[in-house]
Amino acid sequence: MDLLIDTHALIWAVEGSRRLSSRAHGAIVDPANRLLVSGVTAWEFADLKARGRLPVLARFAVVAELLSLTILDVPGDLWMLADSLPNLHGDPTDRMLIAHTLHADLTLLTADATVQGYPIRTLW
């Protein structure tokens, strides 16, 4: 399965946090799954780290290598899909991630209940 990983799930996976569900952990360590990260998430991770808001000490590049992540480029017209989504979630970064999930027809690994309210496949 191709899994697009939300920022918090990525952070919790690296930390070994108990907040990561057993189902999410299983999906991350399953070698049959391909772990993907949107360029939006990579930027958010780097931005949070630069502002000192991440408990993770590693840079994104180290995390990407550690988890064998594939980073997906953000399509230039993705903003139009994000703009067309119902306004359930006020976070523009999450709305872009939802749009990326729809655009690439992926499953989003997320604990965010609001995100799970969109017409996308999620796993938690």
Side-chain angles (χ1 to χ4, degrees), residues 1-17 20 24-38 41-42 45 54 56 58-71 109 124:
M1 174 178 2
D2 287 344
L3 292 173
L4 191 63
I5 304 177
D6 201 344
T7 309
H8 63 272
L10 180 62
I11 293 167
W12 295 346
V14 172
E15 290 179 326
S17 173
L20 188 68
H25 178 267
I28 289 170
V29 299
D30 184 344
N33 292 333
R34 189 167 67 129
L35 304 179
L36 308 169
V37 173
S38 171
T41 300
F45 187 101
L54 265 189
V56 177
R59 291 175 309 137
F60 179 78
V62 173
V63 170
E65 186 175 335
L66 176 71
L67 294 177
S68 300
L69 301 175
T70 298
I71 302 166
L109 189 69
W124 194 250

Side-chain angles (χ1 to χ4, degrees), residues 21 35 38 42-44 59 62 74-75 80 87 94 98 114 117:
S21 74
L35 304 179
S38 171
W43 169 81
E44 183 178 32
R59 291 175 309 137
V62 173
V74 179
M80 288 188 286
N87 194 17
D94 282 337
I98 294 161
T114 304

